[in-house]
């Protein structure tokens, strides 16, 4: 837990006389635990308010995997939205990853119970007939590709069933910077532009990312100071993805040149702003198999399921 003291011992908080627990190098401030929590929740609040992510009377489905990001998300939203006419419900997607998911599901159940938030679990096995482990046996594919497609599909369906107005996910600044960089590296301009959807699409519950300005390390620290940190193992498939290499590269750059992750995201935001209007978003259709939104008559999840031999396509 060395990053709890990512500042010199005996360093005072910039706002009071207490011991600082973190120095935010870019901002040039050191913060004690109390002022760090203030800063964290204020930033999350400002992220929500700046794009009006959440409105009064909304019902928010919070995607809670049980890892630190989604735990911090549920905890901070619960605090920030206290007293507002906003209802929260937690959804955990159980992909079926042996030796990894069981612990995080327990952690998700614990944090939802502690905060008295209604909690639902949807599993790949029940939704699609296969766990992720079964889906990837003997296949020369990156498990994250299957996982990402089915997770989005399952989450959207569950959010609709629960009448949610939006799905909040725990994506943080590191995730955002990695996604931008991965799309640059793949030269995938269209996907890059789709990363910031410009309008609401029928059948697709809007996604919000209240933690998108928060670095991963600060999220871990927020969990620690609030006593909600659940140590979890890394997904056994994580190292097989391009994201893992990009993550390592971005971490190395960030430690050598602080602010790299933020400038990667801000640079992309600037491009997206200039391109707005020049790039029209495609109208989504209903998948002819499952009814979920898609681009070419059949969604990616049903396409993959067909490959797995589970879906007989009509006509
Ligand atoms: Fe899914 Fe890949 Fe994340 Fe594991 S690392 S949970 S397989 S997306």
């Amino acid at each position: 837990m060395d990053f709890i003291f990512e500042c010199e011992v005996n360093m005072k908080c910039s706002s009071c006389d207490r011991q600082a627990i973190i120095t935010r190098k870019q901002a040039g401030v050191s913060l004690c635990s109390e002022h760090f929590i203030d800063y964290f929740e204020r930033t999350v609040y400002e992220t929500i308010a700046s794009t009006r992510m959440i409105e009064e009377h909304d019902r928010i489905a919070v995607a809670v995997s049980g890892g630190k990001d989604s735990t911090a998300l549920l905890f901070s939203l619960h605090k920030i939205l206290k007293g507002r006419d906003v209802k929260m419900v937690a959804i955990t997607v159980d992909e079926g990853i042996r030796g990894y998911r069981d612990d995080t599901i327990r952690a998700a159940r614990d944090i939802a119970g502690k905060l008295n938030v209604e909690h639902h679990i949807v599993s790949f096995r029940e939704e699609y007939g296969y766990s992720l482990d079964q889906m990837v046996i003997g296949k020369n594919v990156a498990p994250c590709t299957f996982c990402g497609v089915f997770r989005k599909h399952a989450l959207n369906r569950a959010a609709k069933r629960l009448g949610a107005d939006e799905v909040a996910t725990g994506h943080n600044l590191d995730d955002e910077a990695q996604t931008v960089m991965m799309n640059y590296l793949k030269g995938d301009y269209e996907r890059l532009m789709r990363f910031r959807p410009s309008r609401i699409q029928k059948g697709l519950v809007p996604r919000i990312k209240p933690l998108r300005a928060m670095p991963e390390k600060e999220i871990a620290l927020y969990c620690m100071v609030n006593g909600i940190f659940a140590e979890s193992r890394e997904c056994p498939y994580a190292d097989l993805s391009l994201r893992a290499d990009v993550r390592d590269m971005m971490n190395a750059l960030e430690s050598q040149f602080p602010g790299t992750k933020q400038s990667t995201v801000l640079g992309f935001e600037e491009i997206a702003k200039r391109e707005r209007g020049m790039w029209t978003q495609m109208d989504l259709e209903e998948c002819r198999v499952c009814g979920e939104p898609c681009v070419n008559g059949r969604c990616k999840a049903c396409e993959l399921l067909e490959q797995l031999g589970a879906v007989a396509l009509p006509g």
Side-chain angles (χ1 to χ4, degrees):
M1 298 187 190
D2 51 354
F3 56 79
I4 263 209
F5 290 102
E6 222 173 48
C7 63
E8 287 166 29
V9 179
N10 297 328
M11 173 71 80
K12 291 270 183 251
C13 173
S14 307
S15 301
C16 70
D17 272 346
R18 283 188 289 261
Q19 163 72 49
I21 58 164
I22 183 171
T23 296
R24 299 188 54 246
K25 285 189 193 141
Q26 260 182 287
V29 291
S30 298
L31 299 171
C32 66
S33 54
E34 206 169 290
H35 284 106
F36 170 72
I37 291 172
D38 274 359
Y39 140 78
F40 188 100
E41 289 166 0
R42 201 175 349 102
T43 310
V44 177
Y45 174 80
E46 282 163 7
T47 305
I48 294 169
S50 66
T51 51
R52 303 185 64 163
M53 284 179 182
I54 297 168
E55 306 274 4
E56 289 287 312
H57 318 303
D58 274 359
R59 184 172 169 86
I60 313 163
V62 185
V64 181
S65 67
K68 60 184 178 333
D69 300 324
S70 58
T71 298
L73 174 67
L74 191 68
F75 190 85
S76 58
L77 283 183
H78 187 263
K79 238 173 127 181
I80 291 166
L81 299 173
K82 201 170 187 162
R84 302 278 175 102
D85 182 14
V86 172
K87 170 111 176 116
M88 283 205 293
V89 49
I91 303 177
T92 301
V93 179
D94 177 6
E95 303 92 343
I97 304 171
R98 191 187 288 270
Y100 165 65
R101 209 22 116 207
D102 294 349
D103 289 353
T104 56
I105 288 176
R106 204 170 304 122
R109 203 179 279 131
D110 286 353
I111 188 69
K114 188 173 174 179
L115 301 174
N116 212 10
V117 172
E118 188 182 310
H119 183 220
H120 298 261
I121 299 176
V122 286
S123 77
F124 279 15
R125 184 131 193 140
E126 278 169 26
E127 296 275 320
Y128 309 111
Y130 300 93
S131 67
L132 183 67
D133 287 340
Q134 290 172 317
M135 286 177 186
V136 299
I137 288 174
K139 294 194 185 57
N140 191 20
V141 290
C144 296
T145 308
F146 277 76
C147 188
V149 168
F150 287 113
R151 190 145 34 112
K152 264 190 205 144
H153 190 266
L155 205 48
N156 196 56
R157 285 215 293 207
K160 282 195 283 192
R161 282 199 296 267
L162 293 167
D165 296 292
E166 53 265 329
V167 174
T169 63
H171 290 95
N172 57 41
L173 178 69
D174 297 50
D175 298 321
E176 297 283 276
Q178 287 159 18
T179 302
V180 170
M181 187 52 70
M182 280 164 65
N183 288 323
Y184 283 150
L185 293 174
K186 288 184 195 161
D188 197 338
Y189 174 76
E190 197 180 323
R191 190 184 276 264
L192 186 66
M193 288 302 133
R194 264 196 276 134
F195 187 45
R196 287 273 177 275
S198 54
R199 65 188 162 88
I200 291 172
Q201 294 266 18
K202 192 165 165 262
L204 201 61
V205 184
R207 300 285 185 109
I208 59 169
K209 300 175 190 171
L211 300 186
R212 72 174 194 220
M214 305 310 304
E216 191 177 295
K217 278 183 178 181
E218 293 185 10
I219 291 173
L221 183 53
Y222 179 77
C223 288
M224 285 181 178
V225 292
N226 281 295
I228 52 168
F229 189 86
E231 191 88 56
S232 65
R233 276 172 278 190
E234 193 173 48
C235 172
Y237 298 126
D239 279 348
L240 303 175
S241 65
L242 169 64
R243 185 175 287 275
D245 292 321
V246 171
R247 179 195 59 198
D248 294 346
M249 178 184 83
M250 297 299 290
N251 284 344
L253 287 170
E254 180 73 31
S255 69
Q256 211 180 335
F257 308 106
T260 299
K261 291 174 188 172
Q262 196 181 31
S263 59
T264 303
V265 174
L266 292 179
F268 161 69
E269 301 281 358
E270 194 52 42
I271 296 170
K273 216 187 293 166
R274 288 175 193 210
E275 290 285 297
R276 203 161 285 149
M278 291 163 71
W279 189 85
T280 49
Q281 227 183 327
M282 248 182 270
D283 281 327
L284 296 180
E285 306 164 15
E286 268 185 20
C287 171
R288 62 177 181 267
V289 182
C290 70
E292 280 297 286
C294 66
V295 274
N296 284 323
R298 187 162 54 136
C299 72
K300 193 80 188 145
C302 289
E303 214 175 275
L304 292 178
L305 271 178
E306 192 197 23
Q307 284 174 25
L308 291 166
V311 167
L313 286 175

